[in-house]
């Protein structure tokens, strides 16, 4: 169905090819998972399939890519639209209408599909992806996860032979991610759809893959027909695989179910081991924090806050307080009000009733450098904050705006994601790389409060570890860190507290260990594998069992 024949792609001014001498054949009716580090070239490989590379990306292209017998050099994306459906990392950038139902129908209209067929397919897709309640909603009012489902639906309505998904679950809550992946699996099994998917949250998708394509740091590609074989040595691996490697389980489990079958001896060994303990500040042995945090007055608060966004009641009488040195996760389903809560703290949304307070002031009254030094926010779409022609120019402007020493932002970026050139245009970066650039820009002002909306989107496990390390250091220095996230693994390894939202209301505000184990939907993989033991991460297991292993 998809064939790469000695494909090499080099972008202008790049130090090395994005893809190097790639030969690859993807058969019909399989789900192929593309993995690799942040910025390794996964999106480039996906863009080859629908013709964006080479027709719209520039650079040098050699070799040949064919999809269902069509050579992409001779067929631009418009000539492949009936065969290839693609959902990119930023779904909002691809929307062309204003309403959910219209967006689902738009591509079919472009392909001149009959009206009655269009109507039936729209209804099928609304049910398949759980979008029926949103059919008349304006796209601009949707949460990031809801937009992601609409983008996937707008592609599925055309019934393509090939479905290409770039980070399809990155903005979805655990339940929605399971529903989307289950729907894709049905299409693969029942209709023979060929799916090519790139995803950093491998814990969600690796067990569904029929084959794995691994992209190395130099753009070379390895193809594995057996996903377990790929995971034995892959540089990126989910917690279930990391635990299986350390424990020596064979065959290597890719799912929680398979891991539990192998884990009984490990559970027996750990049964009498000292359990990780929460300290006064809510930290655990795997992520210690200053235990005096809870003794200090809040630096950010929401007092009986209600926020209306048009006809939508986004927050309802919310009371939350955040103290210096805390790392707090705001969790909940897509559309629960997480991003609205962060935007209210940042001052970009004004409550309909109640009040927000940041360091004793109304955040809406802050501006300029005063705002940067008090509260910084990295949104779900970090590219909205980038305007310069190069990374170097962005970092220079950030230092100037924050009145920081020259080179401050660049040094932070090198810590978070080393190896990026000053001359690279921010628009050429991957989603994860852009996020790290914006984070470095924000941190250059040394804010007292840091707000992060889906901060691990587009990041591999190594990049997430570097980010976690930096956030721990900031919390230790007294910065209050609040992150809205669906990434249960980052919460398990980093956060001290969880505020759980549902339909705009706070339904729980408790220690992270208790919150992530109270519901199977929010439990990390290690907790599911070793339940009822109280371990959340591989690091905690290794500390309890000893580095020598079982």
């Amino acid at each position: 169905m998809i064939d790469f024949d000695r494909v090499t792609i080099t972008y202008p001014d790049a130090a090395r090819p994005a893809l190097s001498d790639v030969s690859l054949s993807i058969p019909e009716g399989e789900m192929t998972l593309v993995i690799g580090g942040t910025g390794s070239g996964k999106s480039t490989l996906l863009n080859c399939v629908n013709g964006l590379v080479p027709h719209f990306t520039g650079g040098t292209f050699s070799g040949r890519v064919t999809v269902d017998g069509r050579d992409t050099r001779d067929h631009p994306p418009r000539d492949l639209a009936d065969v290839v459906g693609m959902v990119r990392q930023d779904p909002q950038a691809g929307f062309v209408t204003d309403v959910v139902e219209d967006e689902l129908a738009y591509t079919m209209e472009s392909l001149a599909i009959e009206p009655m067929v269009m109507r039936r397919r729209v209804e099928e897709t609304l049910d398949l992806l759980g979008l029926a309640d949103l059919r008349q909603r304006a796209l601009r009012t949707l949460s990031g996860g809801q937009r992601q489902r609409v983008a996937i639906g707008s592609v599925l309505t055309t019934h393509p032979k090939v479905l290409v998904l770039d980070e399809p679950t990155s903005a979805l809550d655990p339940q929605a991610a399971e529903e989307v992946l289950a729907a894709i699996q049905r299409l693969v099994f029942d209709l023979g759809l060929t799916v090519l998917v790139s995803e950093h949250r491998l814990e969600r998708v690796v067990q569904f893959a029929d084959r794995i394509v691994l992209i190395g740091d130099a753009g070379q590609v390895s193809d594995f027909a057996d996903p377990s074989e790929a995971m034995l040595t892959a540089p990126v691996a989910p917690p279930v695989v990391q635990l299986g490697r350390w424990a020596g389980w064979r065959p290597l489990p890719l799912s929680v179910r398979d891991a539990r079958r192998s884990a009984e001896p490990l559970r027996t060994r750990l049964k009498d081991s000292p359990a990780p303990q929460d300290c006064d500040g809510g930290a655990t042995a795997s992520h210690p924090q200053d235990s005096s945090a809870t003794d200090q007055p809040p630096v950010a608060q929401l007092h009986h806050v209600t926020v209306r966004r048009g006809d939508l009641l986004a927050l309802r009488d919310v009371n939350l307080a955040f103290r210096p040195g805390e790392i707090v996760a705001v969790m909940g389903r897509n559309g629960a009000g997480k991003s609205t809560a962060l935007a209210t703290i940042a001052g970009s949304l004004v409550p309909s009733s109640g009040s927000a307070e940041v360091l004793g002031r109304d955040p809406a009254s802050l501006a300029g450098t005063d705002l940067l030094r008090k509260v910084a926010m990295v949104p779900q779409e970090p590219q909205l904050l980038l305007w310069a022609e190069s990374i170097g120019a962005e970092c220079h402007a950030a230092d100037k705006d924050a009145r920081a020493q020259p080179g401050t932002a660049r040094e932070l970026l090198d810590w978070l994601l080393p190896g990026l050139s000053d001359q690279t245009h921010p628009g050429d970066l991957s989603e994860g790389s852009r996020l790290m650039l914006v984070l470095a820009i924000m941190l250059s002002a040394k804010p007292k409060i840091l707000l992060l909306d889906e901060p691990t989107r587009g990041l591999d496990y190594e990049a997430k570890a570097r980010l976690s390390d930096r956030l721990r250091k900031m919390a230790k220095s007294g910065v209050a860190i609040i992150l809205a996230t669906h990434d249960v693994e980052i919460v398990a390894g980093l956060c001290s507290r969880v505020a759980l939202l549902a339909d705009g209301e706070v339904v729980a505000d408790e220690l992270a260990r208790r919150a992530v184990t109270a519901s199977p939907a929010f439990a990390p993989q290690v907790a599911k594998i070793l339940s009822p033991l109280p371990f959340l991460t591989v690091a905690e297991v290794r500390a309890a069992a000893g580095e020598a292993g079982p």
Side-chain angles (χ1 to χ4, degrees):
M1 177 59 73
I2 304 171
D3 289 293
F4 286 71
D5 182 16
R6 292 177 293 181
V7 172
T8 297
I9 299 164
T10 306
Y11 292 124
D13 301 322
R16 62 168 181 80
L19 295 177
S20 179
D21 196 29
V22 173
S23 292
L24 177 67
S25 182
I26 298 173
E28 182 179 3
E30 287 191 356
M31 177 184 283
T32 299
L33 176 61
V34 181
I35 66 173
T38 299
S40 61
K42 299 184 296 300
S43 294
T44 296
L45 188 143
L46 299 186
N47 288 336
C48 288
V49 177
N50 77 334
L52 284 175
V53 175
H55 293 283
F56 291 96
T57 57
T60 303
F61 177 95
S62 64
R64 184 183 184 192
V65 179
T66 57
V67 182
D68 196 30
R70 303 183 193 182
D71 191 329
T72 60
R73 292 175 300 182
D74 304 324
H75 294 79
R78 65 177 179 272
D79 294 340
L80 295 168
D82 62 324
V83 177
V84 181
M86 184 168 186
V87 180
R88 305 184 68 187
Q89 286 185 3
D90 179 16
Q92 190 170 5
F95 290 157
V96 293
T97 67
D98 297 322
V99 179
V100 170
E101 194 170 30
D102 294 343
E103 187 65 29
L104 296 180
Y106 176 80
T107 306
M108 291 189 291
E109 289 180 340
S110 302
L111 296 175
I113 293 174
E114 294 181 2
M116 289 304 295
V117 176
M118 290 171 53
R119 177 64 185 273
R120 185 181 72 249
R121 290 186 184 179
V122 167
E123 295 301 323
E124 291 170 350
T125 304
L126 288 169
D127 292 336
L128 186 68
L129 298 177
L131 295 170
D133 293 339
L134 304 177
R135 66 189 307 155
Q136 295 300 327
R137 281 274 298 275
L139 292 169
R140 59 182 172 77
T141 68
L142 300 181
S143 71
Q146 290 167 336
R147 289 196 296 266
Q148 191 90 355
R149 279 189 281 167
V150 172
I152 293 172
S154 67
V155 168
L156 291 180
T157 55
T158 65
H159 288 191
K161 293 182 180 180
V162 177
L163 180 60
V164 180
L165 302 171
D166 199 354
E167 299 282 339
T169 74
S170 60
L172 299 180
D173 61 63
Q175 299 97 318
E178 289 180 4
E179 292 171 3
V180 167
L181 291 171
I184 293 170
Q185 279 293 99
R186 287 198 298 272
L187 294 170
V188 172
F189 290 148
D190 298 342
L191 301 178
L193 186 68
T194 302
V195 176
L196 190 62
V197 56
S198 168
E199 181 62 75
H200 279 114
R201 295 186 185 175
L202 300 183
E203 62 272 11
R204 290 180 168 181
V205 70
V206 68
Q207 66 267 33
F208 300 120
D210 296 303
R211 66 173 53 234
I212 285 179
V213 171
L214 171 63
I215 302 182
D217 293 335
Q220 76 280 9
V221 167
S222 302
D223 181 20
F224 296 88
D226 181 358
S228 294
E229 179 186 352
M231 285 292 103
L232 281 172
T233 56
V236 290
V240 64
V241 171
Q242 296 175 29
L243 186 63
R245 286 175 178 175
W246 173 78
W249 295 335
R250 296 295 182 272
L252 187 66
L254 302 183
S255 68
V256 169
R257 180 186 181 187
D258 291 338
R260 283 192 63 84
R261 292 169 176 168
S262 303
E264 184 57 36
L266 181 57
R267 283 196 294 268
T268 301
R269 176 176 178 180
L270 294 173
K271 183 171 62 176
D272 298 325
S273 299
Q277 296 295 316
D278 293 326
C279 69
D280 293 339
T284 70
S286 65
H287 41 80
Q289 286 179 224
D290 183 359
S291 62
S292 64
T294 54
D295 299 331
Q296 301 185 49
V299 292
Q301 296 185 80
L302 297 177
H303 301 282
H304 299 286
V305 165
T306 295
V307 176
R308 286 189 175 275
R309 305 185 76 167
D311 295 332
L312 176 68
L313 194 59
L315 292 180
R316 309 165 187 255
D317 195 31
V318 168
N319 290 285
L320 286 172
F322 306 94
R323 292 174 170 80
E326 281 192 306
I327 304 180
V328 182
V330 181
M331 304 185 76
R333 292 187 297 271
N334 292 119
K338 303 182 297 298
S339 297
T340 300
L342 264 62
T344 305
I345 296 171
S348 54
L349 282 178
V350 177
S352 306
S353 63
S355 63
E357 185 178 301
V358 170
L359 297 173
R361 295 180 59 181
D362 179 354
S365 69
L366 301 173
T369 304
D370 190 29
L371 174 62
L372 287 174
R373 291 187 179 278
K374 287 183 170 60
V375 57
M377 180 170 175
V378 178
Q380 276 194 50
E381 293 85 18
Q383 66 272 16
L384 297 176
L385 302 183
L386 300 173
W387 55 271
E389 295 295 320
S390 68
I391 289 176
E394 288 283 2
C395 291
H396 175 75
D399 293 339
K400 184 177 180 181
D401 291 342
R403 298 175 188 170
Q405 289 291 328
T408 299
R410 179 72 235 196
E411 182 180 351
L412 288 164
L413 180 59
D414 289 339
W415 172 282
L416 294 167
L417 195 65
L420 297 178
S421 168
D422 268 352
Q423 282 70 48
T424 301
H425 193 288
D428 294 333
L429 298 176
S430 68
E431 186 82 7
S433 299
R434 280 198 296 266
L435 188 148
M436 290 297 96
L437 173 59
V438 171
L439 181 57
I441 289 170
M442 292 298 177
L443 294 185
S444 62
K446 297 182 179 179
K448 300 296 184 185
I449 303 163
L450 179 63
L451 309 174
L452 304 172
D453 200 350
E454 292 295 343
T456 61
R457 187 176 183 181
L459 298 184
D460 61 38
Y461 294 99
E462 182 181 349
K464 285 200 281 188
R466 287 195 298 269
L467 173 62
S468 297
D469 189 43
R470 170 57 66 174
L471 295 181
R472 289 190 193 100
K473 285 180 169 62
M474 293 177 63
K476 190 175 181 180
S477 69
V479 177
I481 300 170
I482 309 164
L483 55 150
T485 184
H486 296 122
D487 192 336
V488 297
E489 302 296 341
I490 198 76
V491 174
L494 177 66
C495 297
S496 57
R497 204 176 104 218
V498 168
L500 183 64
L501 300 184
D503 295 325
E505 297 179 314
V506 178
V507 297
D509 186 0
E510 56 192 0
L511 297 179
R513 184 175 300 277
R514 189 180 308 152
V516 298
T517 55
S519 167
F522 293 104
Q525 283 193 315
V526 170
K528 294 177 181 177
I529 294 167
L530 298 179
S531 176
L533 300 181
F535 298 97
L536 302 183
T537 66
V538 177
E540 289 183 352
V541 174
R542 295 180 64 150
E547 289 296 320

